[in-house]
């Protein structure tokens, strides 16, 4: 099958890992560069160009405090006549402020950069986007319009002005600007992604989905349109479903679209729809591929149809014996209580990819179920080396140390480490709060989850909040959040009804619904 597709790990479907981004590591080459800059600055602390270079390197590593120190020092010693250098310094300060979510300061810095170079295209574009975030629609429009003076038929200008028009309620002008952008570059998939984004902002989700599908059909790299389709399906699955069913009805080559529909239904948590679409694909000889069987297994597991999941993952492994598929096999076997089979599959998943933290997590759980605390601990230690910000692995190791090895001191060290880490989105926020609670900081834990829920209220966020409240003894609130999650469309029956993973589940409240 020639379909473009997403191969999603089981963690994305079942919530079995922290989803943390890998921490930015300083590799030997980068470290050597930083050391070189530092040596130069020892000789001449006022070398503003080297200060800027080192600050830029710190920025690339997300070490914003160090970057700010270097850039502020560079600004203080850069001669006034070096306008180009000053512009670069202020522009980078604006970038850092954006990353630190201080948009008012970012606007101040980019204005200072533009005062030095009023025709700087990237700074004008940056200013337009900052103004959009701050709700300054007219200022954003002016900044984006200036881009047309520097580059004729600028797509950045057209799309930026369209977004500003949407913000200020000028829908007709926004639509006209979108059409201008499409006419300027009608064969570029990014054009349709951007138009889809704008239509989504206008609330025209079915039309947005159609544009994302057009982008998908044009793209050599399908990552961007797929991400857009998944995000739209997550917020408005019926709109996505209508658009893709229309596309399926207008082509004879249905296999890629069935695969796309099944995968997006799966990744957006619409598991019954995923099983239906993947089933339609598997009824066709051309669709009976390993990845399709694997995705069907993941959909069935989420629906708590474990026998069906087991059958499909076994068929998947015959055709595609990959680390993600062995990981899913281990998860299914563990869910069915077959800990020896789960351990065997998890070891194969690890052997195929030692960097697969989902494999290492299920290996740890299977080893613990077989009474081997040493192997469980070793697997989780490897996962934490792979990704030091992996909340889920730290919480699992804390549980293994406390409950299996009976080493409460080591367990507390893991919980304290997780409690001290930064978490910006769910499920990391829930895992951080649980770690705080387990390390004796219940008030901090409640504050963490409450603050997190102010900005995160998707169906998955609500589920993880329910897990937090269930595991910390607030059963009434846990039940409330479960109902809210289900009302928002949370359909993972396995997590709701059966999951027993290591104090990271809803088991404390399941008796209330019986």
């Amino acid at each position: 099958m020639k379909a473009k597709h997403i191969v999603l790990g089981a963690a994305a479907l079942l919530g079995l890992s922290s989803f943390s981004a890998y921490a930015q590591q300083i590799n030997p080459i980068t470290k050597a560069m930083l050391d070189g800059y530092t040596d130069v600055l020892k000789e001449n602390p006022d070398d503003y160009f080297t200060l800027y270079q080192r600050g830029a390197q710190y920025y690339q590593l997300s070490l914003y405090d160090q970057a700010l120190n270097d850039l502020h020092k560079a600004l203080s010693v850069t001669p006034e006549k070096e306008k180009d250098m000053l512009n670069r310094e202020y522009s980078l300060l604006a970038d850092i402020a954006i990353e630190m979510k201080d948009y008012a300061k970012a606007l101040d810095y980019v204005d200072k950069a533009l005062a030095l170079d009023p025709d700087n295209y990237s700074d004008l574009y940056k200013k337009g986007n900052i103004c959009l975030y701050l709700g300054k629609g007219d200022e954003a429009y002016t900044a984006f319009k200036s881009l047309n003076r520097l580059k004729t038929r600028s797509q950045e200008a057209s799309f930026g002005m369209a977004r500003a028009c949407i913000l200020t309620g000028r829908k007709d002008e926004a639509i006209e600007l979108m059409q201008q952008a499409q006419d300027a570059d009608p064969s570029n998939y990014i054009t349709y992604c951007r138009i889809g984004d704008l239509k989504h902002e206008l609330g025209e989700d079915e039309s947005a989905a159609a544009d994302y599908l057009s982008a998908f059909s044009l793209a050599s790299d399908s990552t961007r349109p797929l991400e857009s389709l998944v995000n739209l399906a997550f917020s408005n699955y019926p709109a996505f479903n209508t658009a893709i069913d229309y596309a399926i009805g207008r082509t004879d080559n249905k296999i890629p679209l069935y695969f796309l529909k099944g995968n997006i239904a799966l990744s957006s948590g619409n598991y019954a729809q995923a099983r239906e679409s993947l089933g339609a694909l598997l009824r066709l000889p051309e669709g009976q591929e390993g990845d399709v069987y694997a995705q069907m297994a993941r959909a069935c597991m989420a629906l708590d149809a474990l026998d069906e999941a087991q059958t499909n993952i076994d068929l998947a492994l015959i055709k595609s014996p990959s680390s993600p598929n062995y990981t899913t096999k281990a998860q299914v076997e563990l869910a069915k209580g077959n800990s020896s089979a789960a351990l065997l599959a998890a070891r194969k998943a690890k052997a195929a990819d030692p960097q697969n933290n989902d494999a290492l997590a299920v290996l740890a759980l299977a080893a613990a179920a077989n009474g081997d605390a040493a192997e469980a601990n070793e697997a989780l230690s490897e996962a934490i080396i792979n990704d030091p910000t992996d909340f889920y692995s730290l919480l699992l190791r804390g549980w293994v140390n406390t409950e299996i090895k009976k080493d409460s001191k080591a367990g507390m060290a893991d919980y304290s480490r997780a409690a001290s880490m930064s978490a910006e989105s769910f499920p990391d926020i829930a895992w951080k709060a649980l770690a705080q609670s387990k390390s004796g900081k219940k008030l901090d834990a409640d504050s963490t989850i409450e603050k997190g829920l102010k900005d995160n209220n998707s169906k998955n966020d609500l589920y993880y909040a329910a897990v937090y409240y269930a595991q910390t003894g607030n059963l009434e609130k846990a039940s409330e959040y479960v109902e809210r999650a289900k009302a928002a469309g949370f359909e993972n029956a396995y997590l709701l009804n059966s999951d027993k993973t290591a104090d990271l589940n809803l088991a404390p409240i399941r008796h209330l619904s019986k």
Side-chain angles (χ1 to χ4, degrees):
M1 182 173 64
K2 302 296 184 183
K4 302 170 187 172
H5 56 271
I6 319 169
V7 178
L8 298 166
L13 311 177
L14 301 172
L16 296 178
S17 88
S18 71
F19 301 100
S20 296
Y22 281 88
Q24 177 70 280
Q25 301 296 308
I26 301 180
N27 63 45
I29 295 175
T30 303
K31 185 178 186 305
M33 290 175 62
L34 288 171
D35 290 343
Y37 295 142
T38 300
D39 289 340
V40 171
L41 290 168
K42 285 179 181 177
E43 297 294 325
N44 181 7
D46 292 342
D47 184 340
Y48 55 86
F49 184 69
T50 301
L51 283 164
Y52 170 82
Q53 287 182 306
R54 191 173 70 173
Q57 189 66 70
Y58 281 137
Y59 166 72
Q60 293 296 327
L61 294 166
S62 301
L63 299 172
Y64 302 129
D65 289 338
Q66 292 94 318
L68 286 171
N69 287 337
D70 278 351
L71 288 165
H72 285 308
K73 176 66 185 298
L75 274 174
S76 72
V77 296
T78 303
E80 289 185 12
K81 65 179 182 179
E82 297 287 349
K83 290 187 177 182
D84 180 63
M85 194 69 238
L86 289 165
N87 166 268
R88 293 167 70 184
E89 290 163 359
Y90 279 122
S91 184
L92 184 53
L93 281 168
D95 291 333
I96 295 169
I98 290 168
E99 293 297 330
M100 299 180 75
K101 297 181 170 54
D102 190 343
Y103 298 102
K105 187 171 286 186
L107 182 58
D108 179 57
Y109 284 136
V110 81
D111 277 339
K112 288 176 178 175
L114 285 166
L116 294 159
D117 184 2
D119 290 336
N120 188 296
Y121 190 93
S122 64
D123 286 339
L124 284 166
Y125 184 65
K126 190 182 301 178
K127 177 174 180 176
N129 282 296
I130 293 168
C131 288
L132 283 175
Y133 189 88
L134 291 171
K136 298 175 180 287
D138 291 333
E139 289 183 45
Y141 186 92
T142 300
F144 288 125
K145 189 175 183 179
S146 298
L147 299 179
N148 276 326
R149 177 168 46 84
L150 305 173
K151 178 182 175 182
T152 57
R153 295 169 67 87
S154 163
Q155 273 210 331
E156 289 86 358
S158 295
F159 283 120
M161 286 190 289
R163 291 179 66 200
C165 287
I166 291 170
L167 184 63
T168 54
R170 291 137 60 193
K171 180 178 177 180
D172 290 344
E173 186 177 354
I175 292 171
E176 182 180 338
L177 286 161
M178 281 188 269
Q179 187 61 54
Q180 288 177 15
Q182 182 175 336
D183 292 343
D185 198 357
S187 60
N188 188 341
Y189 77 95
I190 291 294
T191 299
Y192 295 94
C193 286
R194 289 172 168 172
I195 291 173
D197 292 344
L198 290 169
K199 287 181 179 176
H200 179 54
E201 288 184 38
L202 287 168
E204 298 177 0
D205 284 348
E206 286 184 23
S207 184
D211 284 308
Y212 293 142
L213 287 168
S214 295
F216 177 79
S217 69
L218 292 169
S220 55
D221 177 2
S222 59
T223 302
R224 169 70 159 87
L226 284 174
E227 287 177 350
S228 298
L229 281 165
V230 169
N231 290 336
L232 188 142
F234 201 89
S235 63
N236 187 348
Y237 185 80
F240 161 77
N241 197 45
T242 298
I244 198 163
D245 281 348
Y246 178 77
I248 289 170
R250 290 175 60 84
T251 181
D252 293 329
N253 186 19
K254 301 181 187 301
I255 289 178
L257 291 176
Y258 274 134
F259 195 92
L260 179 62
K261 181 179 179 181
N263 274 274
I264 290 180
L266 187 61
S267 59
S268 60
N270 293 279
Y271 303 110
Q273 292 276 359
R275 180 162 63 175
E276 179 183 332
S277 298
L278 294 167
L281 192 53
L282 288 170
R283 286 191 289 274
L284 302 172
E286 308 96 309
Q288 295 169 7
E289 291 202 349
D291 287 337
V292 182
Y293 283 113
Q295 298 296 66
M296 177 62 97
R298 292 168 188 137
C300 290
M301 185 171 177
L303 292 167
D304 219 0
L306 299 181
D307 289 340
E308 189 178 347
Q310 185 181 49
T311 298
N312 278 281
I313 197 59
D314 287 343
L315 290 168
L317 286 167
I318 292 170
K319 295 174 176 287
S320 180
S322 65
S323 181
N325 290 349
Y326 275 118
T327 300
T328 299
K329 167 72 171 174
Q331 291 168 339
V332 171
E333 295 293 356
L334 196 60
K336 286 175 65 67
N338 302 329
S339 59
S340 296
L343 185 58
L344 178 63
R347 286 171 176 164
K348 290 180 179 179
K350 177 192 171 184
D353 181 5
Q355 304 296 312
N356 182 350
N357 273 20
D358 292 331
L360 292 168
V362 75
L363 173 57
L365 291 168
N370 281 277
D372 191 340
E375 184 174 12
N377 198 284
E378 179 184 353
L380 292 168
S381 295
E382 289 180 32
I384 293 162
I385 290 171
N386 289 343
D387 179 7
T389 68
D390 186 341
F391 280 91
Y392 184 74
S393 292
L394 275 168
L395 283 172
L396 279 187
R397 194 172 70 175
W399 174 78
V400 168
N401 281 323
T402 303
E403 303 298 331
I404 310 300
K405 294 184 71 177
K406 305 301 180 184
D407 185 346
S408 58
K409 184 176 180 181
M412 183 59 70
D414 284 328
Y415 293 137
S416 296
R417 177 174 167 180
S420 69
M421 296 194 313
S422 176
E424 295 187 359
S425 59
F426 281 82
D428 283 353
I429 289 170
W431 298 157
K432 176 183 173 74
L434 273 171
Q436 288 175 315
S437 180
K438 287 177 177 291
S439 55
K441 299 177 180 177
K442 183 63 165 58
L443 291 177
D444 289 345
D446 285 343
S447 176
T448 294
I449 203 79
E450 288 164 9
K451 288 179 181 176
L453 286 167
K454 288 180 181 178
D455 299 318
N456 303 275
N457 52 20
S458 74
K459 59 188 179 183
N460 285 354
D461 301 338
L462 297 169
Y463 163 77
Y464 286 112
V467 170
Y468 167 78
Y469 287 118
Q471 291 294 336
T472 55
N474 192 336
L475 305 191
E476 183 177 351
K477 205 157 192 175
S479 297
E480 173 195 337
Y481 273 90
V482 165
E483 293 308 313
R484 288 177 60 182
K486 290 193 289 189
F490 190 81
E491 295 181 3
N492 196 314
Y494 173 73
L495 291 181
L496 290 171
N497 303 322
S498 303
D499 181 37
K500 299 175 183 177
T501 303
D503 296 343
L504 303 174
N505 55 64
L506 293 176
I509 63 168
R510 287 189 184 126
H511 68 283
L512 298 176
S513 60
K514 293 180 179 178

